[in-house]
Each structure stands twice: as structure tokens, then as C-alpha cells.
Amino acid sequence: MTVPNTPPDPAHADVEAEPGAVPDPFAPPPVSDEEPPPGMPEAPPVVEHPLLAELRIGAGVVVVCLLVGLAMAGLWVWLAPKVPLLVDGDRILYADPEGEQRAGADAVFVLIALGAGIVTALGAFLVTRKRGGGIAVALGLAVGGLLGSIGAWRIGRWLGPSDNLIAEARRVGNGGHFDASIDLGALGALLVWPMAAMVVLLALSAAFGKREEDPPPYWGAPAGTYGAPAAPLAAPPADQAPADAAARERGKD
């Protein structure tokens, strides 16, 4: 004996129906492999890990700083004052003993590094302004600025005059003049670029950075209820009003 409206056995529901047979009303609908069944949530999109995005941005900032360092090396060699030397017999003397060319080379390097720090910080801020910057931008500017300064210093020494004074003195001969190699007298100039970039990035972020809305205070009304009229209090039922009045009178007595 079978109870009415009893669903069929799932084992028999999967059996193919014979030709001409009446379809089973209790059989589940066929499920397609291409489209999900109605009511089922779709698979969430693949979201990139935030750490990989931050590393990619920081690496990009470092690469740009290294390219700017190449340009900085060329400018330093071109603009830095040269130290003239004089060959006097077996001696190599300064042609201008009281000259300030050594200090001038350091000053030119500092000015170029200051400009590179401002340009790289401004460019990084404008590119990453929509995403709100991030720690990767600051670290990229700090590391890239330091590496760019070191690269500009090393490449500038290589592009400038030779540091082999004896070979140069033999080349020009007695009484000849040649230029000494350019170098940094104060290695602290290598920190000008990253420090300037950090200061400019902080100032731009504070003045024009992306702002986040402040959350409502915990004692405030829920979101969406500001300015809404208050709901009127519901009046007590008519049959309870006399009873409440009688209770108040007894309370007074």
C-alpha cells in the first residue's frame, strides 16, 4: 500500500522513460551542465591578491626611479664643474688651488637629486591617486630613490673624466692640463632624493589625497533615518483605556 502523493524513489526517477509513457510529475527537472540551476548563486569572480598588486606597484616605482637615475647621471656629468689639473715635471698640481669645483660638484648632484625626488613623487602620486596611494608607493620611492642616487653616482664617475691621473698626465705631457674625475665629497647627498620624495608625497597626500567618509557616531541614528519624521505612537485599545483610568484613580487614593 502506497501513501498518496508519495514522491517516487530517486533510484527509479533516473531511469529513462519508455517511448509513449506518461512523464513522471514528481521527477526532478533536468539539470544542464552549461547553465547553473535557477536560484543558485553564481561563482564569485577571481580577485587578485592585494599583496601581489602592492608588490607590482612598488616594483614599477623602483624601475622608474632607476631610469630617472640614468638621466640624472648624464646631467651630473654635463653640469658639474670640472677640477683642472696641471702637470709640472713629475708632479700633478691643481691649476686653481683656491677653486671650489669639488664642492660645486656636490651641490649640482644635490640639486639634481632634489628635482628627481620631486618629479618622481609627483608622478607616483598622480598615477596612484585613484587607488589611494598605499605603502607600496612610499616604499618604492624610498628604495628607488636610494638606488637611483647610487646608480647616478657610479655611472657619473664612469662617464666623467678618467680617475687614472698618472695615465692622463703621461698623455698630456709636461705642462699640460687635464680634468680630474668627478666624485662626491659628501656621501650624504645620496639621501637627498629619497628624503625629498617622501616629503613631497606626504604633502600631496595630505592636501589632495583620497578621503574616506567618516563613520556616523555610535550614539547617532542608523543610516538613512536622518531627517525622517518620527513614527507616531500607537494609541491603546479602547477597551483598555477605562481600566487604565480606574487603576490611576486607585493609585491616587
Side-chain angles (χ1 to χ4, degrees), residues 152-178:
W153 169 44
R154 296 287 187 178
I155 296 175
R157 292 178 57 185
W158 177 69
L159 293 177
S162 175
D163 56 352
N164 192 345
L165 300 182
I166 297 177
E168 291 294 317
R170 290 175 178 175
R171 181 180 62 84
V172 298
N174 186 22
H177 293 76
F178 65 96

Side-chain angles (χ1 to χ4, degrees), residues 197-215:
M198 290 295 98
V199 172
V200 174
L201 180 64
L202 180 60
L204 292 175
S205 300
F208 309 103
K210 185 179 179 180
R211 298 290 187 268
E212 295 183 359
E213 297 182 359
D214 296 333

Side-chain angles (χ1 to χ4, degrees), residues 17 88 92 101 103-104 197 249:
D88 183 13
I92 300 176
Q101 290 85 358
E249 290 296 335

Side-chain angles (χ1 to χ4, degrees), residues 48-58 131 136:
E48 186 180 6
H49 198 278
L51 180 59
L52 297 178
E54 294 293 328
L55 291 177
R56 185 180 295 109
I57 292 174
R131 66 183 302 272

Side-chain angles (χ1 to χ4, degrees), residues 36-115:
M40 294 293 292
E42 298 181 357
V46 179
V47 181
E48 186 180 6
H49 198 278
L51 180 59
L52 297 178
E54 294 293 328
L55 291 177
R56 185 180 295 109
I57 292 174
V61 174
V62 172
V63 171
V64 172
C65 290
L66 293 178
L67 296 178
V68 175
L70 295 177
M72 178 179 171
L75 288 175
W76 185 42
V77 174
W78 179 36
L79 299 176
K82 306 300 187 294
V83 179
L85 299 178
L86 172 65
V87 179
D88 183 13
D90 57 351
R91 298 181 301 171
I92 300 176
L93 307 175
Y94 285 104
D96 185 8
E98 298 182 358
E100 299 293 338
Q101 290 85 358
R102 291 289 185 184
D106 290 2
V108 171
F109 188 92
V110 168
L111 292 177
I112 299 175
L114 183 62

